[in-house]
Amino acid sequence: MSASLLQRSLSAVWHPCTQMKQHETLPLIAITRGEGPWLLAEGGQRYLDAVSSWWVNLFGHCNAHINQRLREQMETLEHVILAGFTHEPVVRLSEELAALTGHALGHAFYASDGASATEIALKMSVHYWRNCGRPAKTRFVSLAGSYHGETVGALAVTDIALFREAYAPLVRAAATVVSPDARAVESGESARNVAIRAAAALEAFLAEHHTETAALIVEPLVQCATGMAMYDPEYLRRARVLCDQYEVHLIADEIAVGCGRTGKFFAMEHSGTWPDFLCLSKGISGGYLPLSLVLTTDTVYQAFYADEVARGFLHSHSYTGNALACTAALATLEIFRDDDVLAANEQRARWLARAAEPIAAHPAVRHLRQQGMILAFDVDATPGFARRFHAHALAEGLLLRPIGNTVYWMPPYVLDEAQCAWLGARTLSALEKALAE
Ligand SMILES: *Cc1c(COP(=O)(O)O)cnc(C)c1O
């Protein structure tokens, strides 16, 4: 049965982010159950889901509380059109998220995936400036190495060479400015110095291009997809000031770093400032259902509020504000409150740091870094390291997918001390085997 399911998958399912031919040598894994941080495979193997199934799962698989809330919601209302209609879960979720921003961002617009949230923020920004009589502001600027999704509009602000090259003819590429990546420290410098230098480069860009620039889009504190590039929050403080000064929106893409990942609920909280647009997805539904949203300010909202249809925001998705997805998100926020998750994660992050100490001491390991529940390190290794490491990690019972030569942990918020230590030991073992091969 196992072989046939894998064969059927290979012939009928086109898997994401995958050169399908590689599955001639690396077999697919059929998962039959999820239990907390564990994935149970058809052959009986267990894998610790140390990447939260692409950064979405916060409280383990088959979480009893989210399951219960979804069952209740399913019996009353699964989905209803959100144009002209509303429902309790979408209203409550919007109110609770607004409250989490101290009502700085009190208006929520919904979609189903992260890339769509990026596109909504970009479109809203340009349309805002148009409504304000500034139609020339139609360009964007992002950080070197940025990742904001893979639809054609989101690719415009995504600076990943592989994607840029393949789809260049489709994309109206944004400008990029230097990243505040703390690995650029020179001797005697701190991460804050790097951030200040990068902010100076941003200022030079804005001084020249502000009349045609609608928005700066950033991944606050951690540029995840480029390889967990971490930076000092001083960059965000300065970017906020510069964006105000040059009348450019600040878009915070918190699709990966929101929902407690960096130690606070929103990564922007580390900077003490708010963006004009904040994108959320991935963890917001606890990893259960596709849901994304953009939070924005009253100033932006009011610029669209008018008699003319064309001044309104022209955007919709079929599943906008899906009642089940919003319920999963509400259940997720309940767990944050009831279990004081942010406080528990402080302890959990220390367990992860301790578990990584022997890894940091390995001679091939550089730049071991951590921001809350994300821990990463770079490896001096020969080409093909990521695939070799991934295969050895699976053999150790770990789901880990390095990005190039960067290995990272982004586990669900349920690991106990022993599981953190186990994760550390197995990662080191996979590392040694991948380097020896
Ligand atoms: C994953 C991700 C996206 C895209 O989300 P999808 O749901 O995959 O479209 C956008 N921005 C960031 C920072 C992400 O990590």
Side-chain angles (χ1 to χ4, degrees), residues 189-248:
E189 269 192 332
S190 65
R192 190 168 174 277
N193 294 133
V194 180
I196 291 169
R197 232 189 305 132
L202 173 64
E203 168 145 40
F205 176 88
L206 293 178
E208 194 176 344
H209 297 288
H210 65 97
T211 51
E212 70 267 17
T213 303
L216 163 70
I217 182 166
V218 298
E219 297 156 84
L221 291 194
V222 190
Q223 293 182 278
C224 296
T226 194
M228 303 297 160
M230 300 187 185
Y231 61 88
D232 191 277
E234 181 64 19
Y235 186 79
L236 300 170
R237 282 190 282 275
R238 293 190 177 219
R240 175 72 278 179
V241 170
L242 291 169
C243 284
D244 287 341
Q245 185 182 332
Y246 286 101
E247 296 185 295
V248 166

Short mmCIF file of all heavy atoms in Angstrom, two decimals, residues 189-248:
data_model
loop_
_atom_site.label_atom_id
_atom_site.label_comp_id
_atom_site.label_asym_id
_atom_site.label_seq_id
_atom_site.Cartn_x
_atom_site.Cartn_y
_atom_site.Cartn_z
N GLU A 189 32.10 46.17 15.62
CA GLU A 189 30.74 46.64 15.41
C GLU A 189 29.72 45.76 16.11
O GLU A 189 29.96 44.57 16.33
CB GLU A 189 30.41 46.61 13.91
CG GLU A 189 30.72 47.86 13.16
CD GLU A 189 30.08 47.82 11.77
OE1 GLU A 189 29.89 46.73 11.22
OE2 GLU A 189 29.78 48.89 11.26
N SER A 190 28.55 46.34 16.40
CA SER A 190 27.43 45.55 16.92
C SER A 190 26.38 45.44 15.82
O SER A 190 26.44 46.13 14.80
CB SER A 190 26.82 46.25 18.13
OG SER A 190 26.24 47.47 17.71
N ALA A 191 25.39 44.57 16.07
CA ALA A 191 24.28 44.42 15.11
C ALA A 191 23.58 45.77 14.92
O ALA A 191 23.09 46.08 13.83
CB ALA A 191 23.29 43.38 15.62
N ARG A 192 23.55 46.57 16.00
CA ARG A 192 22.89 47.88 15.92
C ARG A 192 23.63 48.79 14.93
O ARG A 192 23.01 49.53 14.17
CB ARG A 192 22.84 48.50 17.32
CG ARG A 192 21.98 49.73 17.42
CD ARG A 192 21.72 50.13 18.86
NE ARG A 192 20.99 51.40 18.89
CZ ARG A 192 21.57 52.58 18.80
NH1 ARG A 192 22.89 52.68 18.70
NH2 ARG A 192 20.84 53.69 18.81
N ASN A 193 24.97 48.71 14.92
CA ASN A 193 25.74 49.51 13.96
C ASN A 193 25.38 49.14 12.53
O ASN A 193 25.24 50.01 11.66
CB ASN A 193 27.26 49.29 14.15
CG ASN A 193 27.76 49.81 15.49
OD1 ASN A 193 28.50 49.12 16.19
ND2 ASN A 193 27.35 51.01 15.86
N VAL A 194 25.23 47.84 12.29
CA VAL A 194 24.87 47.39 10.94
C VAL A 194 23.50 47.95 10.56
O VAL A 194 23.28 48.42 9.44
CB VAL A 194 24.86 45.84 10.85
CG1 VAL A 194 24.48 45.39 9.44
CG2 VAL A 194 26.21 45.28 11.24
N ALA A 195 22.57 47.92 11.54
CA ALA A 195 21.21 48.42 11.30
C ALA A 195 21.25 49.91 10.96
O ALA A 195 20.54 50.37 10.05
CB ALA A 195 20.34 48.16 12.52
N ILE A 196 22.09 50.65 11.67
CA ILE A 196 22.16 52.10 11.44
C ILE A 196 22.74 52.38 10.05
O ILE A 196 22.26 53.27 9.32
CB ILE A 196 23.00 52.77 12.56
CG1 ILE A 196 22.21 52.70 13.88
CG2 ILE A 196 23.36 54.21 12.21
CD1 ILE A 196 22.99 53.09 15.12
N ARG A 197 23.74 51.60 9.67
CA ARG A 197 24.32 51.75 8.33
C ARG A 197 23.28 51.45 7.24
O ARG A 197 23.15 52.17 6.26
CB ARG A 197 25.51 50.78 8.18
CG ARG A 197 26.76 51.46 7.70
CD ARG A 197 27.87 50.49 7.35
NE ARG A 197 28.25 49.56 8.40
CZ ARG A 197 28.38 48.25 8.20
NH1 ARG A 197 28.15 47.71 7.01
NH2 ARG A 197 28.76 47.45 9.19
N ALA A 198 22.52 50.37 7.45
CA ALA A 198 21.50 50.00 6.45
C ALA A 198 20.41 51.07 6.39
O ALA A 198 19.88 51.38 5.31
CB ALA A 198 20.90 48.64 6.78
N ALA A 199 20.08 51.65 7.55
CA ALA A 199 19.05 52.71 7.56
C ALA A 199 19.55 53.95 6.81
O ALA A 199 18.77 54.64 6.15
CB ALA A 199 18.68 53.06 9.00
N ALA A 200 20.85 54.21 6.88
CA ALA A 200 21.40 55.35 6.13
C ALA A 200 21.26 55.10 4.63
O ALA A 200 20.95 56.02 3.85
CB ALA A 200 22.87 55.56 6.51
N ALA A 201 21.46 53.85 4.21
CA ALA A 201 21.28 53.52 2.78
C ALA A 201 19.82 53.68 2.38
O ALA A 201 19.51 54.15 1.27
CB ALA A 201 21.76 52.08 2.52
N LEU A 202 18.91 53.31 3.29
CA LEU A 202 17.48 53.49 3.01
C LEU A 202 17.17 54.97 2.86
O LEU A 202 16.44 55.38 1.95
CB LEU A 202 16.64 52.87 4.14
CG LEU A 202 15.14 53.13 4.06
CD1 LEU A 202 14.54 52.48 2.80
CD2 LEU A 202 14.43 52.61 5.32
N GLU A 203 17.75 55.78 3.74
CA GLU A 203 17.49 57.22 3.66
C GLU A 203 17.97 57.78 2.32
O GLU A 203 17.26 58.57 1.68
CB GLU A 203 18.18 57.97 4.81
CG GLU A 203 18.17 59.48 4.57
CD GLU A 203 18.01 60.33 5.80
OE1 GLU A 203 18.64 59.96 6.82
OE2 GLU A 203 17.28 61.34 5.75
N ALA A 204 19.15 57.35 1.88
CA ALA A 204 19.67 57.84 0.59
C ALA A 204 18.71 57.45 -0.53
O ALA A 204 18.42 58.25 -1.43
CB ALA A 204 21.06 57.25 0.34
N PHE A 205 18.17 56.23 -0.46
CA PHE A 205 17.23 55.78 -1.50
C PHE A 205 15.96 56.63 -1.47
O PHE A 205 15.50 57.12 -2.51
CB PHE A 205 16.89 54.30 -1.32
CG PHE A 205 15.85 53.86 -2.30
CD1 PHE A 205 16.22 53.39 -3.56
CD2 PHE A 205 14.49 53.95 -2.00
CE1 PHE A 205 15.26 53.02 -4.50
CE2 PHE A 205 13.53 53.58 -2.94
CZ PHE A 205 13.91 53.12 -4.18
N LEU A 206 15.40 56.82 -0.28
CA LEU A 206 14.13 57.55 -0.18
C LEU A 206 14.29 59.01 -0.57
O LEU A 206 13.41 59.60 -1.20
CB LEU A 206 13.56 57.42 1.23
CG LEU A 206 13.09 56.01 1.63
CD1 LEU A 206 12.60 56.00 3.07
CD2 LEU A 206 12.02 55.49 0.69
N ALA A 207 15.44 59.60 -0.21
CA ALA A 207 15.67 60.99 -0.55
C ALA A 207 15.58 61.17 -2.07
O ALA A 207 15.04 62.16 -2.57
CB ALA A 207 17.04 61.44 -0.04
N GLU A 208 16.07 60.18 -2.80
CA GLU A 208 16.07 60.29 -4.27
C GLU A 208 14.74 59.86 -4.89
O GLU A 208 14.32 60.41 -5.90
CB GLU A 208 17.22 59.43 -4.83
CG GLU A 208 17.52 59.73 -6.29
CD GLU A 208 18.72 58.93 -6.80
OE1 GLU A 208 19.48 58.39 -5.95
OE2 GLU A 208 18.88 58.83 -8.02
N HIS A 209 14.08 58.86 -4.30
CA HIS A 209 12.96 58.20 -5.00
C HIS A 209 11.60 58.34 -4.33
O HIS A 209 10.65 57.69 -4.76
CB HIS A 209 13.27 56.71 -5.18
CG HIS A 209 14.47 56.44 -6.02
ND1 HIS A 209 14.48 56.62 -7.38
CD2 HIS A 209 15.72 56.02 -5.69
CE1 HIS A 209 15.68 56.32 -7.86
NE2 HIS A 209 16.46 55.95 -6.86
N HIS A 210 11.48 59.17 -3.29
CA HIS A 210 10.22 59.16 -2.53
C HIS A 210 9.03 59.59 -3.36
O HIS A 210 7.91 59.12 -3.12
CB HIS A 210 10.35 60.01 -1.26
CG HIS A 210 10.56 61.46 -1.52
ND1 HIS A 210 9.52 62.36 -1.51
CD2 HIS A 210 11.67 62.16 -1.83
CE1 HIS A 210 10.01 63.56 -1.78
NE2 HIS A 210 11.30 63.46 -1.99
N THR A 211 9.22 60.43 -4.38
CA THR A 211 8.04 60.91 -5.11
C THR A 211 7.35 59.79 -5.89
O THR A 211 6.16 59.86 -6.13
CB THR A 211 8.39 62.05 -6.11
OG1 THR A 211 9.49 61.62 -6.91
CG2 THR A 211 8.75 63.33 -5.38
N GLU A 212 8.11 58.74 -6.27
CA GLU A 212 7.45 57.64 -6.99
C GLU A 212 7.31 56.39 -6.11
O GLU A 212 6.80 55.37 -6.56
CB GLU A 212 8.19 57.30 -8.29
CG GLU A 212 9.55 56.64 -8.17
CD GLU A 212 10.73 57.62 -8.19
OE1 GLU A 212 10.51 58.84 -7.97
OE2 GLU A 212 11.86 57.18 -8.40
N THR A 213 7.77 56.44 -4.86
CA THR A 213 7.72 55.25 -4.00
C THR A 213 6.47 55.26 -3.13
O THR A 213 6.23 56.22 -2.38
CB THR A 213 8.99 55.18 -3.12
OG1 THR A 213 10.14 55.18 -3.97
CG2 THR A 213 8.99 53.91 -2.28
N ALA A 214 5.68 54.18 -3.23
CA ALA A 214 4.48 54.05 -2.40
C ALA A 214 4.82 53.46 -1.03
O ALA A 214 4.30 53.92 -0.02
CB ALA A 214 3.45 53.17 -3.10
N ALA A 215 5.66 52.43 -1.01
CA ALA A 215 5.86 51.71 0.24
C ALA A 215 7.21 51.00 0.29
O ALA A 215 7.74 50.57 -0.74
CB ALA A 215 4.75 50.69 0.45
N LEU A 216 7.69 50.88 1.51
CA LEU A 216 8.82 49.99 1.85
C LEU A 216 8.20 48.75 2.47
O LEU A 216 7.35 48.86 3.37
CB LEU A 216 9.74 50.68 2.87
CG LEU A 216 10.72 49.76 3.62
CD1 LEU A 216 11.82 49.24 2.69
CD2 LEU A 216 11.35 50.51 4.81
N ILE A 217 8.59 47.56 2.01
CA ILE A 217 8.09 46.33 2.64
C ILE A 217 9.25 45.59 3.28
O ILE A 217 10.32 45.46 2.67
CB ILE A 217 7.33 45.45 1.62
CG1 ILE A 217 6.77 44.19 2.31
CG2 ILE A 217 8.16 45.08 0.40
CD1 ILE A 217 5.73 43.44 1.49
N VAL A 218 9.06 45.17 4.53
CA VAL A 218 10.12 44.46 5.26
C VAL A 218 9.54 43.23 5.96
O VAL A 218 8.36 43.19 6.29
CB VAL A 218 10.80 45.35 6.33
CG1 VAL A 218 11.47 46.56 5.70
CG2 VAL A 218 9.80 45.80 7.41
N GLU A 219 10.41 42.26 6.22
CA GLU A 219 10.13 41.17 7.14
C GLU A 219 10.78 41.60 8.46
O GLU A 219 12.00 41.60 8.56
CB GLU A 219 10.77 39.87 6.65
CG GLU A 219 10.25 39.36 5.32
CD GLU A 219 11.28 38.47 4.62
OE1 GLU A 219 11.33 37.28 4.92
OE2 GLU A 219 12.04 38.99 3.78
N PRO A 220 10.01 41.99 9.47
CA PRO A 220 10.61 42.53 10.68
C PRO A 220 11.49 41.51 11.43
O PRO A 220 11.08 40.37 11.64
CB PRO A 220 9.40 42.91 11.54
CG PRO A 220 8.29 43.08 10.57
CD PRO A 220 8.54 42.09 9.47
N LEU A 221 12.70 41.91 11.76
CA LEU A 221 13.68 41.18 12.58
C LEU A 221 14.32 39.95 11.96
O LEU A 221 15.48 39.68 12.19
CB LEU A 221 13.10 40.76 13.94
CG LEU A 221 12.80 41.86 14.92
CD1 LEU A 221 12.56 41.25 16.31
CD2 LEU A 221 13.89 42.90 15.00
N VAL A 222 13.56 39.14 11.20
CA VAL A 222 14.15 37.95 10.61
C VAL A 222 13.68 37.82 9.17
O VAL A 222 12.48 37.72 8.90
CB VAL A 222 13.75 36.65 11.37
CG1 VAL A 222 14.58 35.47 10.85
CG2 VAL A 222 13.93 36.80 12.88
N GLN A 223 14.64 37.84 8.23
CA GLN A 223 14.32 37.55 6.83
C GLN A 223 14.44 36.03 6.70
O GLN A 223 15.53 35.49 6.54
CB GLN A 223 15.31 38.25 5.91
CG GLN A 223 15.20 39.78 5.94
CD GLN A 223 16.20 40.40 4.97
OE1 GLN A 223 17.37 40.55 5.28
NE2 GLN A 223 15.73 40.73 3.78
N CYS A 224 13.31 35.37 6.80
CA CYS A 224 13.33 33.91 6.98
C CYS A 224 13.79 33.17 5.73
O CYS A 224 14.75 32.41 5.78
CB CYS A 224 11.97 33.43 7.44
SG CYS A 224 11.51 34.07 9.07
N ALA A 225 13.09 33.38 4.60
CA ALA A 225 13.31 32.51 3.44
C ALA A 225 14.69 32.66 2.82
O ALA A 225 15.18 31.75 2.16
CB ALA A 225 12.23 32.76 2.38
N THR A 226 15.34 33.79 3.03
CA THR A 226 16.68 33.96 2.46
C THR A 226 17.73 33.21 3.28
O THR A 226 18.89 33.14 2.89
CB THR A 226 17.05 35.45 2.35
OG1 THR A 226 18.19 35.59 1.52
CG2 THR A 226 17.35 36.06 3.71
N GLY A 227 17.31 32.68 4.44
CA GLY A 227 18.25 31.93 5.29
C GLY A 227 18.34 32.52 6.68
O GLY A 227 19.41 32.63 7.26
N MET A 228 17.19 32.88 7.26
CA MET A 228 17.10 33.34 8.65
C MET A 228 18.13 34.44 8.95
O MET A 228 18.91 34.36 9.90
CB MET A 228 17.29 32.16 9.63
CG MET A 228 16.29 31.04 9.41
SD MET A 228 14.59 31.58 9.69
CE MET A 228 13.68 30.29 8.78
N ALA A 229 18.12 35.48 8.11
CA ALA A 229 18.97 36.65 8.35
C ALA A 229 18.30 37.47 9.45
O ALA A 229 17.16 37.92 9.29
CB ALA A 229 19.10 37.47 7.08
N MET A 230 18.99 37.65 10.57
CA MET A 230 18.40 38.36 11.71
C MET A 230 19.03 39.75 11.84
O MET A 230 20.18 39.93 11.50
CB MET A 230 18.63 37.55 12.99
CG MET A 230 17.99 36.18 12.91
SD MET A 230 18.06 35.26 14.46
CE MET A 230 17.36 33.68 13.90
N TYR A 231 18.21 40.70 12.32
CA TYR A 231 18.75 42.05 12.45
C TYR A 231 18.19 42.78 13.65
O TYR A 231 17.20 42.36 14.25
CB TYR A 231 18.58 42.85 11.16
CG TYR A 231 17.17 43.08 10.66
CD1 TYR A 231 16.43 44.19 11.08
CD2 TYR A 231 16.58 42.23 9.73
CE1 TYR A 231 15.16 44.45 10.60
CE2 TYR A 231 15.31 42.48 9.23
CZ TYR A 231 14.60 43.58 9.67
OH TYR A 231 13.34 43.84 9.19
N ASP A 232 18.84 43.88 13.97
CA ASP A 232 18.52 44.65 15.17
C ASP A 232 17.26 45.50 14.94
O ASP A 232 17.09 46.10 13.88
CB ASP A 232 19.72 45.57 15.49
CG ASP A 232 19.61 46.21 16.85
OD1 ASP A 232 18.91 47.25 16.97
OD2 ASP A 232 20.19 45.66 17.81
N PRO A 233 16.38 45.59 15.96
CA PRO A 233 15.14 46.36 15.79
C PRO A 233 15.36 47.86 15.55
O PRO A 233 14.45 48.56 15.12
CB PRO A 233 14.38 46.13 17.11
CG PRO A 233 15.37 45.56 18.06
CD PRO A 233 16.43 44.88 17.25
N GLU A 234 16.60 48.35 15.79
CA GLU A 234 16.88 49.75 15.50
C GLU A 234 16.58 50.08 14.04
O GLU A 234 16.16 51.19 13.71
CB GLU A 234 18.36 50.07 15.83
CG GLU A 234 18.77 51.51 15.59
CD GLU A 234 18.04 52.51 16.49
OE1 GLU A 234 17.48 52.10 17.53
OE2 GLU A 234 18.03 53.71 16.15
N TYR A 235 16.76 49.08 13.16
CA TYR A 235 16.45 49.32 11.74
C TYR A 235 14.98 49.67 11.56
O TYR A 235 14.63 50.57 10.79
CB TYR A 235 16.81 48.10 10.89
CG TYR A 235 16.63 48.38 9.41
CD1 TYR A 235 17.58 49.09 8.69
CD2 TYR A 235 15.48 47.97 8.74
CE1 TYR A 235 17.41 49.38 7.35
CE2 TYR A 235 15.30 48.25 7.39
CZ TYR A 235 16.27 48.96 6.70
OH TYR A 235 16.10 49.26 5.37
N LEU A 236 14.11 48.96 12.27
CA LEU A 236 12.67 49.20 12.14
C LEU A 236 12.29 50.57 12.68
O LEU A 236 11.45 51.26 12.10
CB LEU A 236 11.89 48.09 12.86
CG LEU A 236 12.15 46.68 12.32
CD1 LEU A 236 11.54 45.63 13.25
CD2 LEU A 236 11.60 46.54 10.90
N ARG A 237 12.90 50.94 13.82
CA ARG A 237 12.64 52.29 14.38
C ARG A 237 13.01 53.36 13.36
O ARG A 237 12.26 54.30 13.11
CB ARG A 237 13.43 52.49 15.67
CG ARG A 237 12.81 51.82 16.88
CD ARG A 237 13.48 52.24 18.18
NE ARG A 237 14.76 51.56 18.38
CZ ARG A 237 14.87 50.34 18.93
NH1 ARG A 237 13.81 49.67 19.32
NH2 ARG A 237 16.05 49.79 19.09
N ARG A 238 14.20 53.22 12.78
CA ARG A 238 14.66 54.23 11.82
C ARG A 238 13.85 54.20 10.53
O ARG A 238 13.55 55.25 9.95
CB ARG A 238 16.15 54.05 11.54
CG ARG A 238 16.96 54.36 12.78
CD ARG A 238 18.44 54.45 12.56
NE ARG A 238 19.03 54.83 13.84
CZ ARG A 238 20.02 55.67 13.99
NH1 ARG A 238 20.58 56.24 12.94
NH2 ARG A 238 20.48 55.96 15.20
N ALA A 239 13.49 53.01 10.08
CA ALA A 239 12.67 52.90 8.87
C ALA A 239 11.33 53.60 9.09
O ALA A 239 10.83 54.30 8.19
CB ALA A 239 12.46 51.44 8.50
N ARG A 240 10.76 53.44 10.29
CA ARG A 240 9.48 54.10 10.58
C ARG A 240 9.61 55.62 10.48
O ARG A 240 8.80 56.30 9.86
CB ARG A 240 9.01 53.67 11.98
CG ARG A 240 7.77 54.34 12.51
CD ARG A 240 6.49 53.89 11.82
NE ARG A 240 6.26 54.58 10.54
CZ ARG A 240 5.22 54.34 9.75
NH1 ARG A 240 4.32 53.43 10.05
NH2 ARG A 240 5.07 54.99 8.62
N VAL A 241 10.67 56.16 11.08
CA VAL A 241 10.89 57.61 11.05
C VAL A 241 11.09 58.09 9.61
O VAL A 241 10.49 59.08 9.18
CB VAL A 241 12.11 57.99 11.93
CG1 VAL A 241 12.49 59.45 11.73
CG2 VAL A 241 11.82 57.69 13.40
N LEU A 242 11.91 57.35 8.84
CA LEU A 242 12.19 57.76 7.46
C LEU A 242 10.95 57.67 6.60
O LEU A 242 10.70 58.55 5.76
CB LEU A 242 13.31 56.88 6.88
CG LEU A 242 14.69 57.09 7.50
CD1 LEU A 242 15.66 56.00 7.04
CD2 LEU A 242 15.23 58.48 7.13
N CYS A 243 10.16 56.61 6.79
CA CYS A 243 8.93 56.48 5.99
C CYS A 243 7.98 57.64 6.28
O CYS A 243 7.36 58.18 5.35
CB CYS A 243 8.25 55.14 6.27
SG CYS A 243 9.08 53.76 5.47
N ASP A 244 7.87 58.05 7.53
CA ASP A 244 7.03 59.21 7.86
C ASP A 244 7.58 60.47 7.20
O ASP A 244 6.85 61.25 6.59
CB ASP A 244 6.95 59.41 9.37
CG ASP A 244 6.08 58.34 10.03
OD1 ASP A 244 5.28 57.71 9.32
OD2 ASP A 244 6.22 58.14 11.25
N GLN A 245 8.89 60.64 7.33
CA GLN A 245 9.53 61.85 6.81
C GLN A 245 9.35 61.97 5.30
O GLN A 245 9.09 63.06 4.79
CB GLN A 245 11.02 61.77 7.17
CG GLN A 245 11.83 62.98 6.83
CD GLN A 245 13.31 62.72 7.20
OE1 GLN A 245 13.61 61.94 8.11
NE2 GLN A 245 14.21 63.38 6.50
N TYR A 246 9.45 60.85 4.58
CA TYR A 246 9.39 60.89 3.12
C TYR A 246 8.02 60.49 2.57
O TYR A 246 7.86 60.31 1.36
CB TYR A 246 10.48 59.99 2.53
CG TYR A 246 11.86 60.61 2.67
CD1 TYR A 246 12.73 60.19 3.66
CD2 TYR A 246 12.27 61.64 1.83
CE1 TYR A 246 13.98 60.77 3.82
CE2 TYR A 246 13.52 62.22 1.96
CZ TYR A 246 14.37 61.78 2.96
OH TYR A 246 15.61 62.35 3.10
N GLU A 247 7.02 60.37 3.44
CA GLU A 247 5.67 60.00 3.01
C GLU A 247 5.66 58.73 2.16
O GLU A 247 5.25 58.72 1.00
CB GLU A 247 5.01 61.17 2.27
CG GLU A 247 4.81 62.37 3.19
CD GLU A 247 4.04 63.48 2.50
OE1 GLU A 247 4.56 64.05 1.52
OE2 GLU A 247 2.91 63.75 2.94
N VAL A 248 6.16 57.68 2.77
CA VAL A 248 6.20 56.35 2.16
C VAL A 248 5.60 55.39 3.20
O VAL A 248 5.89 55.52 4.39
CB VAL A 248 7.66 55.96 1.80
CG1 VAL A 248 7.79 54.49 1.48
CG2 VAL A 248 8.16 56.83 0.64
#
